[in-house]
Amino acid sequence: MLRSLAIRNFVVVSELDVEFDDGLTVLTGETGSGKSILVDALGLLLGDRFELRQLRAGAERAELAASFDVGDVPAARAWLNEQELPADDDQVLLRRVLDAQGRSRAWINGRPATLAQLAELGGSLVAIHGQHAHQSLGEAATQRELIDGFGGFVTLAREVEQRWREWRTAADQLAAATQAAEATAAEREFLDGRRRELAALAVSESEWRDLSAAQSRLANAAELIAAANDGVEALAEADDALLQRIAQLTQRLRMAAAHDPALAAVVDLLEPASIQLDEAARALRDYQRRLDLDPDELKRVDERLSALHDMARKHRVRADALPALLIETEARMAALALSADALTLAGRAAEAENVYRELAAQLSKKRQFAATELAHRVTLAMQTLAMAGGRLEIALQPVAAAARHGLEQAELRVASHPGQALGALAKVASGGELSRIALAIQVVGSEAGQVPTLVFDEVDSGIGGAVAATVGHLLQVLGARRQVLCVTHLPQVAAFADAHCLVNKTGDGNAVTSGLTRLSDADRVEELARMLGGVEITAKTRAHAKELFAAGRRR
C-alpha cells in the first residue's frame, strides 16, 4: 500500500511530503486549494501522460516520488521479479522527473523505467476512481470491463482477445490465398520457368566478374605481349637499359663519395631503386611466360558472356545479379507453396477459431456469474443511497459475430425506484442517481478486487445529507480491508475517516503554493465545522461538527 508521497514544483505545490496510514484517509480543503493535485501526482507516478501546464510556474523541473509496501501484494512482487526489479524489504520506490522542455524520466527502485512499466506495476498497486468516472459508465466497453474486473478474470479476457486476433489473422490468410488462387498459379508457373532457366545456366556468384576480366585480357593479348617485351627491353636487355645505366651511375657516385660523404645519401637512395627495377624486369618476364594468346579460349569466354548477358536482359537485371535472382526465385516459390496450401491454412484457421471459442465460452460463464453477483451487491448498496426499491440488472446479450472481447456485450439496466421500469443506465438515471450508482459500483467492485490502495477523487459529488453519511460509512467499511484515500467536500463523509488531511493554499497573487496538514481530533472538528458552515462558524455549527465526528468513529 501507499506509504509516502513527495511532490516538488508540481502545479501550485512547491514542496510537499506526506505519509499515509492504513484505513480511510480523507483530504479536504477550500475549492481550488489543490486537493486533486495529489491525485494527479500519484497518477503521473502510475504512468499518466505529463502536460507542460502541470509544471509549477517558473520551475525548471518537477519531481514526484512515492513509496509502497508490497509485502501483501503478490502480483506486484511477481511483476518486479520478472522485470528484475526486486523490492528490498518489500518496499517499492517510484520516481518521476518532468522538465520545462516537456521531457519525462521515470525510475522503479532506482532503475530507469518506461511509462508502460509504471502503468503495469501501478495497476496492481493503486486503483484511482476519478470524479467523472460515472460519465463513462454508460459505455459498453466500460460496463464489460467492470464485470471482468469484479470477477477477477481480466487476464482471461485479454487472452480471449489475443486468441481472437490469432484467429482473424489465420482467417485473413486463408481468404487471401483463396482469392489469389489463379494469380498464384500463374505466378508459380512463371517462377518455375525462370528457376529452370537460371539453374540450367548455372552461373556462379563471381563468374561475370571473372569472365569480364578474362575477356579483356585475351582480347588484348597481342598488345599486352608487346608492352611486356618493351618493358623488359627498356629495363634490362637494351644497350642503354635502365638497370645498366643506374648501376654505372651508382658506382660513379660511390667513388665520388670518398671525397664528399654527402653523396653517400644519394647512393643510398639509388640502390633500392635499382633493386626495384630489377624486380620489375623479373615480373615482366614471368608475365610474358604466363600470357597466352589463345583465340579458342577467347571465343569460349565471349560466348559465355553473351549467354549471361542475354539472360540478364531477359529478366531485367544486371548480369552479376543472376545468382541472387535464382535465390530470390526459389524463396518466392517456397512462400507461394506455403500460402497456396489451402488445406493447411484452413486447418490453422479452424484450430485458431476453436481455441478462441473455447476460451470465450469459459469467459461467458464467468461473466454470467459475476454479472449476477455484481448486480445483487450494487442493488443492496442502492437501498442505502436514497434509492430504496431501486435495482440494477446486468444483461449479457450475444453479439451478432464473435468479437475480440468475447461472445456477448454487457448492458447495465437500472430502475432507481420501485415504480420505474428497468432501462439502460445512461438513459434512465438522473445525474445525481448516476453518481450514486457509480459510487456503489466502485465500492462493490473495489471490495472484490485485489488492489491494496483505492483512491476516490470527489466521487461523492451530487449527494448530501443522510446519503453522504451512508457513503462515508461505506468508505469506512472498505477502509477496514483496504487503504482508502478520498478527496471530498462533504463533512458527512470526512467524519468517517481514520485520518484527516487538510490541503490549504497560501501566498499572494504572484506566488501561490499548496500545503498539507495532518489534523488532530480537535482540528478535525474545526475543519468539519468549516465544511458545514462556510465562512462563519457558530457555536451551533461547531456542536454539529462534534456530533458528526463522534458519529463517524469506526463502528
Side-chain angles (χ1 to χ4, degrees):
M1 62 183 63
L2 178 63
R3 287 308 183 196
S4 66
L5 179 64
I7 302 175
R8 301 289 184 273
N9 296 324
F10 184 66
V11 193
V12 295
V13 175
S14 173
E15 182 175 343
L16 180 64
D17 295 279
V18 57
E19 296 183 354
F20 297 98
D21 296 326
D22 300 349
L24 171 61
T25 297
V26 297
L27 293 91
T28 66
E30 296 280 2
T31 300
S33 61
K35 300 185 293 298
S36 294
I37 290 175
L38 278 74
V39 179
D40 294 339
L42 189 57
L44 284 171
L45 285 167
L46 300 176
D48 285 354
R49 292 287 176 181
F50 167 60
E51 297 180 18
L52 198 56
R53 62 177 179 79
Q54 294 174 306
L55 184 66
R56 181 175 168 82
E60 287 299 318
R61 69 176 189 175
E63 294 189 34
L64 310 171
S67 64
F68 295 84
D69 184 344
V70 296
D72 294 325
V73 193
R77 294 202 309 273
W79 186 91
L80 288 165
N81 289 332
E82 289 175 1
Q83 302 293 318
E84 298 182 352
L85 296 167
D88 294 333
D89 298 325
D90 292 329
Q91 297 297 308
V92 172
L93 177 64
L94 305 184
R95 180 169 173 259
R96 193 166 175 189
V97 173
L98 322 158
D99 65 27
Q101 286 70 47
R103 295 188 297 263
S104 167
R105 291 178 294 162
W107 294 264
I108 298 176
N109 287 341
R111 290 177 55 180
T114 64
L115 293 188
Q117 288 178 312
L118 288 181
E120 288 175 8
L121 177 59
S124 62
L125 297 175
V126 180
I128 299 179
H129 302 281
Q131 55 184 301
H132 303 297
H134 65 277
Q135 294 178 358
S136 64
L137 197 55
E139 299 174 3
T142 301
Q143 296 178 5
R144 184 181 63 252
E145 292 166 2
L146 176 66
I147 297 170
D148 294 345
F150 175 78
F153 35 82
V154 172
T155 301
L156 176 59
R158 289 174 181 167
E159 186 174 359
V160 166
E161 180 174 355
Q162 177 61 30
R163 297 301 183 181
W164 181 86
R165 294 182 187 279
E166 293 173 0
W167 169 33
R168 296 317 310 162
T169 298
D172 290 343
Q173 290 175 345
L174 175 59
T178 302
Q179 293 174 1
E182 291 185 8
T184 299
E187 183 182 2
R188 189 164 53 247
E189 182 179 354
F190 164 75
L191 290 172
D192 184 57
R194 187 168 73 182
R195 181 193 62 78
R196 285 188 281 105
E197 288 179 348
L198 292 171
L201 190 62
V203 57
S204 65
E205 185 173 348
S206 63
E207 185 176 3
W208 175 262
R209 183 177 65 251
D210 295 341
L211 287 172
S212 296
Q215 184 202 41
S216 178
R217 184 179 69 253
L218 291 167
N220 297 280
E223 182 180 347
L224 293 173
I225 290 174
N229 288 336
D230 291 346
V232 172
E233 181 79 9
L235 287 172
E237 296 180 356
D239 292 339
D240 59 344
L242 289 175
L243 281 170
Q244 182 178 352
R245 292 171 60 190
I246 288 180
Q248 293 172 349
L249 177 61
T250 302
Q251 179 62 27
R252 184 176 180 182
L253 290 175
R254 185 179 290 110
M255 294 174 63
H259 304 291
D260 187 354
L263 292 174
V266 178
V267 173
D268 291 340
L269 292 173
L270 286 173
E271 287 180 342
S274 178
I275 293 172
Q276 290 180 352
L277 288 174
D278 183 57
E279 290 179 352
R282 292 175 185 273
L284 283 174
R285 291 189 184 101
D286 289 342
Y287 180 76
Q288 283 177 319
R289 287 192 293 272
R290 288 184 285 105
L291 194 60
D292 186 12
L293 185 59
D294 186 350
D296 292 336
E297 176 64 11
L298 176 59
K299 180 180 178 182
R300 187 194 69 80
V301 170
D302 283 340
E303 289 175 350
R304 181 63 174 171
L305 283 172
S306 178
L308 297 182
H309 184 267
D310 289 344
M311 185 68 72
R313 183 173 55 187
K314 178 179 180 179
H315 296 294
R316 299 180 180 180
V317 297
R318 299 191 314 275
D320 58 356
L322 287 172
L325 181 61
L326 176 58
I327 296 173
E328 178 186 331
T329 300
E330 292 173 339
R332 177 59 181 163
M333 290 182 68
L336 286 176
L338 178 62
S339 64
D341 189 352
L343 290 177
T344 299
L345 292 175
R348 289 179 183 175
E351 182 181 359
E353 181 180 3
N354 289 337
V355 172
Y356 163 79
R357 290 192 179 278
E358 182 178 346
L359 286 176
Q362 296 178 22
L363 181 60
S364 295
K365 292 180 180 179
K366 291 180 178 292
R367 280 176 172 167
Q368 188 61 59
F369 177 81
T372 302
E373 182 64 17
L374 177 61
H376 172 69
R377 293 195 189 185
V378 173
T379 296
L380 291 178
M382 288 172 63
Q383 311 311 305
T384 63
L385 294 173
M387 288 181 285
R391 65 192 188 281
L392 176 76
E393 288 188 5
I394 303 177
L396 296 178
Q397 303 171 324
V399 292
R404 70 183 64 196
H405 54 72
L407 302 175
E408 60 281 313
Q409 189 63 277
E411 182 183 52
L412 271 61
R413 298 172 179 173
V414 66
S416 57
H417 54 80
Q420 186 180 39
L422 285 168
L425 178 66
K427 296 180 179 180
V428 174
S430 66
E433 290 170 341
L434 192 57
S435 292
R436 279 175 277 157
I437 294 171
L439 178 60
I441 290 174
Q442 290 165 3
V443 172
V444 170
S446 298
E447 288 176 348
Q450 301 300 317
V451 179
T453 299
L454 309 173
V455 179
F456 294 91
D457 184 13
E458 295 192 20
V459 295
D460 51 11
S461 59
I463 63 175
V467 176
T470 300
V471 169
H473 178 61
L474 285 174
L475 294 175
Q476 185 186 66
V477 171
L478 187 58
R481 296 186 291 272
R482 309 284 181 81
Q483 182 188 44
V484 179
L485 309 180
C486 179
V487 176
T488 183
H489 63 281
L490 297 178
Q492 296 92 334
V493 173
F496 284 89
D498 298 299
H500 191 151
C501 296
L502 174 64
V503 180
N504 50 58
K505 186 161 61 175
T506 58
D508 53 30
N510 296 322
V512 177
T513 186
S514 288
L516 184 142
T517 304
R518 190 183 181 97
L519 300 181
S520 64
D521 286 354
D523 291 333
R524 289 186 62 180
V525 171
E526 287 300 308
E527 173 61 6
L528 292 176
R530 182 199 65 77
M531 297 171 74
L532 284 167
V535 177
E536 184 177 355
I537 301 176
T538 65
K540 187 174 182 180
T541 305
R542 190 171 283 107
H544 186 190
K546 289 181 179 179
E547 291 178 4
L548 274 180
F549 183 66
R553 297 299 75 215
R554 185 171 292 281
R555 302 171 186 176

